[in-house]
Amino acid sequence: MPGTRNTGVVALSGIAVAALLTVIGHLEVNDDLNPWALTISDFAVSDRGGVIDVAMVVLALATVAVMYGLRRTGPPPGRAVELLLGAWVAGLLLAAVVPTNEPGTAMTTAAYLHRYASVVAFLALPVGGWLLARRPDLDAAARTLRALTLLSLTLAAAMVWSAYPGDRVLVGLAERLLIVTEVAVLGTVAVIQTRRITPARGA
Protein backbone atom coordinates (compact mmCIF):
# COMPACT_ATOMS: atom_id res chain seq x y z
CA MET A 1 0.00 0.00 0.00
CA PRO A 2 1.38 3.48 -0.81
CA GLY A 3 2.77 5.30 2.17
CA THR A 4 3.09 8.92 3.11
CA ARG A 5 5.79 9.66 0.54
CA ASN A 6 3.11 10.04 -2.12
CA THR A 7 1.03 12.38 0.03
CA GLY A 8 4.09 14.53 0.65
CA VAL A 9 4.79 14.75 -3.07
CA VAL A 10 1.14 15.60 -3.79
CA ALA A 11 1.17 18.29 -1.11
CA LEU A 12 4.41 19.85 -2.37
CA SER A 13 3.11 19.78 -5.93
CA GLY A 14 -0.10 21.48 -4.82
CA ILE A 15 1.84 24.16 -2.97
CA ALA A 16 4.00 24.81 -6.04
CA VAL A 17 0.96 25.04 -8.34
CA ALA A 18 -0.82 27.38 -5.91
CA ALA A 19 2.25 29.64 -5.76
CA LEU A 20 2.53 29.72 -9.55
CA LEU A 21 -1.16 30.53 -9.97
CA THR A 22 -0.92 33.33 -7.41
CA VAL A 23 1.96 34.91 -9.30
CA ILE A 24 0.03 34.61 -12.57
CA GLY A 25 -3.00 36.17 -10.88
CA HIS A 26 -0.95 39.19 -9.94
CA LEU A 27 0.36 39.56 -13.48
CA GLU A 28 -3.04 39.17 -15.14
CA VAL A 29 -4.81 41.92 -13.20
CA ASN A 30 -5.17 44.88 -15.54
CA ASP A 31 -5.94 47.52 -12.90
CA ASP A 32 -3.18 49.66 -11.50
CA LEU A 33 -3.03 47.86 -8.15
CA ASN A 34 -0.23 48.23 -5.62
CA PRO A 35 0.73 44.84 -4.12
CA TRP A 36 2.34 46.51 -1.08
CA ALA A 37 -0.78 48.47 -0.16
CA LEU A 38 -3.48 45.99 -1.24
CA THR A 39 -4.09 42.42 -0.12
CA ILE A 40 -4.19 39.34 -2.32
CA SER A 41 -7.96 39.35 -1.85
CA ASP A 42 -8.05 42.83 -3.38
CA PHE A 43 -6.28 41.43 -6.42
CA ALA A 44 -8.59 38.40 -6.52
CA VAL A 45 -11.78 40.48 -6.46
CA SER A 46 -10.52 42.37 -9.51
CA ASP A 47 -10.47 39.04 -11.37
CA ARG A 48 -13.40 37.06 -9.89
CA GLY A 49 -13.28 33.41 -10.76
CA GLY A 50 -9.66 33.84 -11.74
CA VAL A 51 -6.50 32.01 -10.94
CA ILE A 52 -6.01 33.40 -7.42
CA ASP A 53 -9.27 31.80 -6.33
CA VAL A 54 -8.16 28.53 -7.92
CA ALA A 55 -4.82 28.86 -6.11
CA MET A 56 -6.60 29.00 -2.74
CA VAL A 57 -8.58 25.86 -3.56
CA VAL A 58 -5.41 24.04 -4.66
CA LEU A 59 -3.64 25.06 -1.44
CA ALA A 60 -6.59 23.77 0.59
CA LEU A 61 -6.37 20.43 -1.21
CA ALA A 62 -2.61 20.30 -0.60
CA THR A 63 -3.35 20.73 3.11
CA VAL A 64 -5.80 17.84 2.98
CA ALA A 65 -2.97 15.71 1.53
CA VAL A 66 -0.75 16.73 4.45
CA MET A 67 -3.51 15.81 6.90
CA TYR A 68 -3.92 12.41 5.26
CA GLY A 69 -0.18 11.84 5.55
CA LEU A 70 -0.29 12.68 9.25
CA ARG A 71 -2.92 10.00 9.73
CA ARG A 72 -0.81 7.44 7.88
CA THR A 73 2.34 7.73 9.96
CA GLY A 74 3.30 8.43 13.54
CA PRO A 75 0.78 9.04 16.33
CA PRO A 76 -2.75 10.25 15.56
CA PRO A 77 -2.69 13.99 14.73
CA GLY A 78 -4.99 14.74 17.65
CA ARG A 79 -8.35 16.47 17.55
CA ALA A 80 -6.88 19.92 18.17
CA VAL A 81 -4.48 19.67 15.21
CA GLU A 82 -7.17 18.32 12.91
CA LEU A 83 -9.57 21.09 13.92
CA LEU A 84 -6.93 23.77 13.38
CA LEU A 85 -5.85 22.46 9.99
CA GLY A 86 -9.50 21.95 9.11
CA ALA A 87 -10.17 25.59 10.00
CA TRP A 88 -7.32 26.63 7.69
CA VAL A 89 -8.81 24.55 4.86
CA ALA A 90 -12.32 25.85 5.46
CA GLY A 91 -11.07 29.43 5.65
CA LEU A 92 -9.25 29.11 2.34
CA LEU A 93 -12.25 27.57 0.60
CA LEU A 94 -14.66 30.16 1.98
CA ALA A 95 -12.34 33.02 1.03
CA ALA A 96 -12.11 31.60 -2.49
CA VAL A 97 -15.89 31.36 -2.88
CA VAL A 98 -17.01 34.52 -1.07
CA PRO A 99 -15.49 37.70 -2.52
CA THR A 100 -14.27 40.69 -0.57
CA ASN A 101 -15.28 44.21 -1.62
CA GLU A 102 -13.62 46.18 -4.37
CA PRO A 103 -10.76 48.36 -3.03
CA GLY A 104 -12.06 51.70 -1.85
CA THR A 105 -15.71 50.62 -1.56
CA ALA A 106 -17.83 50.01 1.54
CA MET A 107 -17.60 46.63 3.27
CA THR A 108 -20.48 44.28 2.50
CA THR A 109 -21.69 41.26 4.48
CA ALA A 110 -19.83 39.01 2.04
CA ALA A 111 -16.67 41.07 2.50
CA TYR A 112 -16.85 40.71 6.29
CA LEU A 113 -17.39 36.96 5.92
CA HIS A 114 -14.36 36.79 3.61
CA ARG A 115 -12.27 38.83 6.06
CA TYR A 116 -13.05 36.77 9.13
CA ALA A 117 -12.66 33.48 7.27
CA SER A 118 -9.18 34.67 6.34
CA VAL A 119 -8.43 35.73 9.91
CA VAL A 120 -9.44 32.30 11.25
CA ALA A 121 -7.27 30.60 8.63
CA PHE A 122 -4.25 32.82 9.31
CA LEU A 123 -4.42 32.16 13.06
CA ALA A 124 -5.33 28.47 12.91
CA LEU A 125 -2.38 27.29 10.81
CA PRO A 126 0.49 28.62 12.97
CA VAL A 127 -1.11 27.27 16.15
CA GLY A 128 -1.54 23.92 14.40
CA GLY A 129 2.07 24.09 13.25
CA TRP A 130 3.23 24.65 16.84
CA LEU A 131 1.35 21.55 17.96
CA LEU A 132 2.74 19.54 15.05
CA ALA A 133 6.27 20.37 16.22
CA ARG A 134 5.61 18.11 19.23
CA ARG A 135 5.13 15.00 17.07
CA PRO A 136 8.02 12.52 17.27
CA ASP A 137 7.82 11.80 13.53
CA LEU A 138 8.40 15.51 12.84
CA ASP A 139 11.20 15.86 15.37
CA ALA A 140 13.76 16.62 12.65
CA ALA A 141 11.76 19.70 11.67
CA ALA A 142 10.54 20.74 15.13
CA ARG A 143 12.85 23.73 15.46
CA THR A 144 11.98 24.94 11.96
CA LEU A 145 8.26 24.55 12.59
CA ARG A 146 8.43 26.51 15.84
CA ALA A 147 10.45 29.30 14.22
CA LEU A 148 8.01 29.55 11.32
CA THR A 149 4.97 29.58 13.58
CA LEU A 150 6.42 32.33 15.78
CA LEU A 151 7.28 34.35 12.68
CA SER A 152 3.76 33.78 11.33
CA LEU A 153 2.16 35.07 14.53
CA THR A 154 4.46 38.11 14.50
CA LEU A 155 3.51 38.90 10.91
CA ALA A 156 -0.17 38.34 11.71
CA ALA A 157 0.13 40.92 14.50
CA ALA A 158 1.84 43.32 12.09
CA MET A 159 -0.96 42.84 9.58
CA VAL A 160 -3.64 43.48 12.22
CA TRP A 161 -1.84 46.64 13.30
CA SER A 162 -1.58 47.82 9.70
CA ALA A 163 -5.22 47.01 8.93
CA TYR A 164 -6.55 49.02 11.89
CA PRO A 165 -4.45 51.67 13.72
CA GLY A 166 -1.75 51.65 11.03
CA ASP A 167 -4.08 52.96 8.29
CA ARG A 168 -3.22 49.93 6.09
CA VAL A 169 0.44 50.93 5.70
CA LEU A 170 2.15 48.08 3.83
CA VAL A 171 -0.74 45.74 4.66
CA GLY A 172 -0.23 43.93 1.35
CA LEU A 173 3.43 43.29 2.08
CA ALA A 174 2.65 42.05 5.60
CA GLU A 175 -0.02 39.68 4.27
CA ARG A 176 2.19 38.25 1.53
CA LEU A 177 5.05 37.62 3.97
CA LEU A 178 2.53 36.01 6.34
CA ILE A 179 1.20 33.70 3.63
CA VAL A 180 4.70 32.70 2.51
CA THR A 181 5.63 31.86 6.11
CA GLU A 182 2.47 29.87 6.76
CA VAL A 183 2.75 27.94 3.51
CA ALA A 184 6.35 27.17 4.54
CA VAL A 185 4.90 25.43 7.62
CA LEU A 186 2.89 23.12 5.36
CA GLY A 187 5.84 22.67 3.03
CA THR A 188 8.12 21.66 5.91
CA VAL A 189 5.71 18.93 7.01
CA ALA A 190 5.27 17.77 3.42
CA VAL A 191 9.04 17.52 2.90
CA ILE A 192 9.33 15.27 5.96
CA GLN A 193 6.49 13.15 4.60
CA THR A 194 8.34 12.61 1.31
CA ARG A 195 11.11 10.92 3.30
CA ARG A 196 8.81 8.41 4.99
CA ILE A 197 7.06 5.31 3.78
CA THR A 198 4.32 3.65 5.79
CA PRO A 199 4.71 -0.13 5.82
CA ALA A 200 1.99 -2.08 4.06
CA ARG A 201 -0.71 -3.43 6.32
CA GLY A 202 -0.17 -7.01 7.34
CA ALA A 203 3.55 -6.80 6.64
Side-chain angles (χ1 to χ4, degrees):
M1 177 177 290
T4 58
R5 176 174 293 177
N6 288 343
T7 65
V9 171
V10 168
L12 288 175
S13 299
I15 290 170
V17 170
L20 177 61
L21 290 176
T22 301
V23 171
I24 292 173
H26 279 67
L27 297 177
E28 284 191 345
V29 174
N30 294 322
D31 300 328
D32 185 19
L33 301 179
N34 182 353
W36 309 132
L38 298 174
T39 66
I40 292 177
S41 294
D42 293 328
F43 275 70
V45 77
S46 299
D47 183 29
R48 288 308 304 161
V51 292
I52 292 179
D53 297 315
V54 176
M56 288 190 282
V57 174
V58 171
L59 185 56
L61 294 176
T63 306
V64 172
V66 169
M67 294 171 68
Y68 178 76
L70 292 172
R71 282 178 168 269
R72 294 284 297 143
T73 185
R79 186 163 182 79
V81 171
E82 290 190 331
L83 285 175
L84 289 165
L85 293 182
W88 160 260
V89 170
L92 285 176
L93 294 176
L94 192 57
V97 173
V98 180
T100 188
N101 58 300
E102 291 278 356
T105 63
M107 291 285 289
T108 63
T109 300
Y112 278 112
L113 183 58
H114 177 99
R115 171 181 289 182
Y116 291 114
S118 300
V119 169
V120 168
F122 286 150
L123 293 178
L125 183 60
V127 176
W130 185 269
L131 295 179
L132 285 174
R134 301 177 180 178
R135 287 173 59 95
D137 56 319
L138 296 176
D139 184 65
R143 184 173 298 179
T144 299
L145 287 172
R146 291 192 180 99
L148 289 171
T149 54
L150 289 175
L151 181 57
S152 293
L153 292 172
T154 301
L155 289 168
M159 186 177 173
V160 169
W161 178 88
S162 177
Y164 294 100
D167 198 27
R168 294 180 66 86
V169 172
L170 296 180
V171 67
L173 176 60
E175 184 201 45
R176 284 162 178 79
L177 291 175
L178 172 60
I179 291 173
V180 168
T181 306
E182 296 202 348
V183 171
V185 172
L186 292 175
T188 299
V189 177
V191 166
I192 296 297
Q193 289 179 345
T194 62
R195 302 173 183 173
R196 299 179 181 277
I197 300 178
T198 302
R201 293 177 183 176

